[in-house]
Amino acid sequence: MDLDKLAEKAKSASHIKNNLVAYACGAAAVACLGSGKFQTTEFVADDGHAGLKIEGVADNVRALGGVVFGSVAACSVFFNTLRKMENANKSKDIAKLKMMEKANGR
C-alpha cells in the first residue's frame, strides 16, 4: 500500500473525528439545556446587580453539563476552522513558490 495514500486517509479520518465530536457535544449540550425547566430564584448580588440562582442538584448538573458540552463543541469547531485556514495558507504559499520558480525559469 502506498504510504502517501495511507497518510491522506489518516488526515481525512481526523477531520471526520473532529466533526463528529463537535456534532455530538453540540447535541448533548442542547439535550442538557433543553431537558425541562430549571428551578431558579432571583437574587440581588452584593454589587447591586440582579441574578438568577439555579436551584436543585439535578438542575445544576444539567446546566453545567450543557455548558461543558457546548464549550467542547465550540472548541472543536474553532480548531477545525484554524486547520482549514492553515491549509489554505499552505496552498497559497506553494502556489507562490511555483510562480516564482516559473518566473525565474527553473
Side-chain angles (χ1 to χ4, degrees), residues 80-93:
N80 276 339
T81 304
L82 279 181
R83 182 185 50 79
K84 287 178 185 177
M85 289 172 55
E86 182 180 327
N87 288 343
N89 286 338
K90 284 180 185 178
S91 65
K92 286 180 185 177
D93 291 342

Side-chain angles (χ1 to χ4, degrees), residues 1-2 8 15 36 38 49 51 58 62 68 77-78 94 102-103:
M1 177 173 251
D2 188 18
E8 285 297 320
H15 173 68
F38 292 98
H49 289 90
R62 273 188 301 187
V68 168
V77 169
F78 175 72
I94 291 171
K102 286 182 183 179

Side-chain angles (χ1 to χ4, degrees), residues 5-54:
K5 288 182 182 178
L6 188 60
E8 285 297 320
K9 286 183 181 180
K11 285 182 185 178
S12 67
S14 173
H15 173 68
I16 291 170
K17 180 190 72 167
N18 289 340
N19 284 341
L20 287 176
V21 168
Y23 290 133
C25 288
V30 169
C32 286
L33 294 174
S35 61
K37 294 182 179 179
F38 292 98
Q39 295 178 3
T40 59
T41 56
E42 291 185 25
F43 70 97
V44 177
D46 294 336
D47 61 358
H49 289 90
L52 285 177
K53 180 178 178 183
I54 299 174

